[in-house]
Amino acid sequence: GLGLTNRKAENFGEWYSEVVVNGEMIEYYDISGCYILRPWSMAIWEILQAFFDPEIKKMKIKNCYFPVFVSSTVLEKEKDHIEGFAPEVAWVTKSGKSDLEIPIAIRPTSETVMYPYYSKWIRGHRDLPLKLNQWCNVVRWEFSNPTPFIRSREFLWQEGHTAFATKEEADTEVLEILELYRRIYEEYLAVPVIKGKKSELEKFAGGLYTTSVEAFIPNTGRGIQGATSHCLGQNFAKMFEINYENEKGERAMVWQNSWAYSTRTIGVMVMVHGDDKGLVMPPKVSSVQVIVIPVPYKDADTQGILDACSATVDALLEVGIRAESDSRDNYSPGWKYSQWEMKGVPLRIEIGPKDLANKQVRAVRRDSGAKIDIANADLVEEIKKLLDNIQQNLFDVAKQKRDECIQVIHTWEEFIEALNQKKMILAPWCDEKEVEEDVKARTKGETGAAKTLCSPFDQPELPEGTVCFASGKPAKRWSYWGRSY
Ligand SMILES: O=C1CCCN[C@@H]1CCCn1cnc2cc(F)c(Cl)cc2c1=O
Ligand SMILES: [Mg+2]
């Protein structure tokens, strides 16, 4: 029968796997760590892309497509760049029965694929800024527990790679892109995130600094990096000789950024909003926003009810609301209610004989379960309001839950206590790499070590004399800490 066998609050991991499958987002694949994205989740990816792509086009960023294959000579050009990542690189070693001369890697990210051509294309200052993006898949043969959307061996993302004449231009773009990532989470997925800077230990080692939007999963008490926007400085320009003749005729290296969000966004949304009846879809990203269900009664005017359903759907489609009717005659209304609740459709409309007679419909909210009778004449306006209200309510509830998980601490004892209470910890920190390494070592356990999530741009007051919770040295900034995905 329908319904989940796992409860979100009891066994989160199993609940999550069941919800993404029963909600028809994911089908498990016979290769571990790989998943099939079914239409219900692919539609979310397309809706997010339909927001993000025009926004980067406004920023004069152009889409392109580079090959998925990287020769080992190119990939291993910079030992330090891939050192540490080497175990997760997937290689093509044969074609048919014969071995390849040079092994070919499948891109885990595209710096080494793209930057030799940036070097070729950027000659003079008129070639700058060069701003390219690609929508593609990447492969990382991870071994830690694979999780649909959150950690898979292949995933979809966009990767932006930009080059500028000045650091100022790069710094500005890093934050413009980060704001788009915040909007993806907060305005579309209804998930609150924190903007901040990664620590020296957690940043992209090949870059100058890393900014990110950080989400939090209350049920597991783990932070999760939602998306990332790096300033690479001139490190890759040096590595790949991406330089140009500036306006004074001098040789100068470019300043670069790279930034990405991936299908991980979908998993975060499921984890935050899902409940024990299944998915809960924010209206903005749901491919079906309103499902209309006929509730025939014995010999009552069944055709009249079906006509009212299709008229209701047409009226909603007319104003751009994504509505469908479920007039399958082999399922009962009750069965349909739980199926569409499992898929998380934000609003259900029921039309039975009484509704028909009263020229009204009955709307039921997926987030609160509230039932609302709406006169046909008010249908479009009321449904629009309800969808906006559901979108806002999902965000408000998620933000309130996330804020309840935030714990401000000042001492090591308070830190450990908060960590054991699955909190997102805000602590004064000396910002020294060795101290972060020490905290990781001291908190290592089966549920994973604590690490910095980010240092929020929005810094609380740091009174003179405040000391670091871990080292006792003078605190330099507030940082969020926690276990993470
Ligand atoms: O996060 C982004 C935004 C989009 C472009 N890339 C950067 C950095 C990616 C880091 N990273 C992440 N994972 C990697 C895995 C690998 F196997 C290898 Cl060889 C390299 C990397 C690697 O450099
Ligand atoms: Mg990784």
Side-chain angles (χ1 to χ4, degrees), residues 71-87 89 91 112 204-206 236 239-240:
S71 74
S72 51
T73 26
V74 168
L75 187 78
E76 292 162 346
K77 173 179 170 63
E78 288 311 314
K79 282 290 169 236
D80 50 348
H81 170 60
I82 86 150
E83 165 252 335
F85 287 127
V89 177
W91 294 94
T112 56
F204 171 31
F236 282 88
M239 241 191 257
F240 290 91

Side-chain angles (χ1 to χ4, degrees), residues 75 81-82 85-89 108-111 115 139-140 157-161 204 225 228 230 232 236 258-260:
L75 187 78
H81 170 60
I82 86 150
F85 287 127
E88 60 189 67
V89 177
T109 179
S110 299
E111 283 79 1
Y115 295 171
V139 172
R140 296 173 185 175
W157 74 350
Q158 54 65 219
E159 48 178 320
H161 295 267
F204 171 31
Q225 180 179 290
T228 181
H230 313 282
L232 306 178
F236 282 88
S258 76
W259 28 269

Side-chain angles (χ1 to χ4, degrees), residues 122-358:
I122 297 170
R123 302 274 105 186
H125 67 276
R126 289 181 195 79
D127 301 320
L128 292 175
L130 176 61
K131 306 194 282 192
L132 301 180
N133 175 70
Q134 64 177 12
W135 294 93
C136 66
N137 65 332
V138 284
V139 172
R140 296 173 185 175
W141 218 253
E142 312 240 12
F143 287 90
S144 47
N145 52 327
T147 310
F149 301 119
I150 301 297
R151 189 180 294 103
S152 52
R153 287 176 158 169
E154 176 187 13
F155 56 87
L156 305 180
W157 74 350
Q158 54 65 219
E159 48 178 320
H161 295 267
T162 53
F164 303 92
T166 66
K167 181 176 186 298
E168 288 64 33
E169 290 168 285
D171 291 338
T172 302
E173 188 204 65
V174 165
L175 297 181
E176 283 173 353
I177 294 293
L178 197 68
E179 170 58 7
L180 292 179
Y181 292 155
R182 182 199 67 75
R183 292 182 61 195
I184 281 178
Y185 276 95
E186 299 200 338
E187 295 176 11
Y188 282 80
L189 300 170
V191 170
V193 290
I194 291 168
K195 282 182 179 178
K197 194 166 175 246
K198 284 287 188 185
S199 70
E200 279 306 296
L201 192 63
E202 288 302 316
K203 77 173 192 183
F204 171 31
L208 181 60
Y209 64 82
T210 291
T211 68
S212 65
V213 285
E214 299 291 332
F216 190 77
I217 310 298
N219 290 77
T220 54
R222 286 172 181 272
I224 183 162
Q225 180 179 290
T228 181
S229 182
H230 313 282
C231 176
L232 306 178
Q234 297 180 307
N235 302 353
F236 282 88
K238 198 155 158 229
M239 241 191 257
F240 290 91
E241 295 172 72
I242 311 174
N243 47 50
Y244 67 102
E245 188 170 305
N246 68 15
E247 292 166 87
K248 290 176 241 156
E250 298 150 346
R251 212 103 205 89
M253 285 192 290
V254 300
W255 292 88
Q256 288 176 272
N257 293 338
S258 76
W259 28 269
Y261 79 93
S262 74
T263 38
R264 163 178 284 200
T265 48
I266 301 168
V268 174
M269 183 275 287
V270 170
M271 289 184 164
V272 167
H273 299 306
D275 64 16
D276 288 338
K277 294 203 287 192
L279 296 170
V280 178
M281 302 282 273
K284 277 221 184 130
V285 296
S286 193
S287 60
V288 175
Q289 295 169 315
V290 183
I291 187 73
V292 180
I293 296 171
V295 190
Y297 183 74
K298 290 205 186 68
D299 55 356
D301 180 0
T302 305
Q303 193 50 47
I305 287 175
L306 291 177
D307 295 347
C309 288
S310 47
T312 302
V313 169
D314 293 346
L316 295 172
L317 289 174
E318 192 111 334
V319 296
I321 291 171
R322 299 188 288 271
E324 273 185 22
S325 73
D326 180 353
S327 40
R328 290 175 293 174
D329 60 6
N330 54 334
Y331 290 102
S332 71
W335 180 275
K336 294 177 185 180
Y337 298 168
S338 26
Q339 246 184 355
W340 292 105
E341 283 168 355
M342 180 66 74
K343 288 177 73 75
V345 172
L347 265 182
R348 168 175 87 226
I349 283 182
E350 303 165 8
I351 301 180
K354 201 174 39 51
D355 305 304
L356 200 60
N358 300 344

